[in-house]
Amino acid sequence: MKPIHMTLALSLALSAGTALFAKEGVTNPTVKARQDTMQTIRRNTAVLGDMAGGKTAFDPAAAAAAKAELAAAAAEIPVKFEPQEGDPKSEAKPEIWTGWDDYVQKAEALVAAAEAVDTASLDGVRAGMGAIGGACKSCHETYRLD
Ligand code: HEC
């Protein structure tokens, strides 16, 4: 189970990397703000994923900080995405606003997955990565252009 979770988390961190610079050239400040929230989510997921995968040393304080930042940023998703704003560089699908309640539920699923991570041990972080990766994927595959 653990290797599968790790692989998922790491491949997610990597695939998210393809959109690392998507915000270059974004002119709509509302769109930029929501992409910045996603970047905060990506950065903190990578901190946890790197520890889970053994790329960086396990550090319970750093893991706890990443968990807290991830949960806080995920909790911001509904506020940041509520205005239906567009930008040529946006990857947001219009289904976000026609399926708003479902979209909010998917954001809440990420908050719950982040909050459930036990950062006291490396095993705890590893065990939590699958649900976090699943929450990203479940939302992106429906609501984000690829
Ligand atoms: C509730 C839905 C939802 C969840 C959950 C979610 N995302 Fe996103 N994400 C989006 C949408 C929609 C976009 C496109 C936003 C835009 O371009 O306007 C996006 C964009 C991104 C981007 C590109 C940001 C940019 O600068 O253009 C990254 C990186 C990202 N997400 C990472 C993650 C990671 C990692 C997770 C899980 C830990 C995650 N997201 C969870 C909906 C979600």
Side-chain angles (χ1 to χ4, degrees):
M1 289 291 282
K2 278 174 197 162
I4 293 169
H5 286 171
M6 264 189 280
T7 307
L8 175 63
L10 293 174
S11 70
L12 259 156
L14 290 173
S15 68
T18 60
L20 259 179
F21 302 107
K23 64 183 172 181
E24 295 294 326
V26 168
T27 51
N28 185 323
T30 306
V31 172
K32 188 173 183 329
R34 73 192 184 209
Q35 291 181 343
D36 285 347
T37 296
M38 283 296 153
Q39 292 291 344
T40 302
I41 288 170
R42 182 200 59 77
R43 199 172 57 244
N44 288 289
T45 302
V47 169
L48 295 171
D50 285 351
M51 285 184 207
K55 205 173 153 194
T56 54
F58 173 62
D59 173 344
K67 166 189 169 168
E69 255 197 76
L70 171 56
E76 289 269 290
I77 294 175
V79 174
K80 292 289 172 71
F81 279 82
E82 195 170 19
Q84 184 169 4
E85 297 274 348
D87 187 285
K89 291 284 174 78
S90 173
E91 296 175 319
K93 287 194 191 170
E95 284 78 3
I96 291 171
W97 297 280
T98 53
W100 182 249
D101 289 351
D102 180 60
Y103 189 75
V104 170
Q105 268 180 27
K106 289 188 186 311
E108 284 166 357
L110 178 56
V111 176
E115 285 175 347
V117 179
D118 172 10
T119 55
S121 74
L122 179 56
D123 275 351
V125 173
R126 284 181 172 157
M129 291 315 293
I132 291 176
C136 315
K137 184 165 183 282
S138 149
C139 190
H140 286 171
E141 69 190 5
T142 311
Y143 296 110
R144 181 187 174 186
L145 301 170
D146 31 41

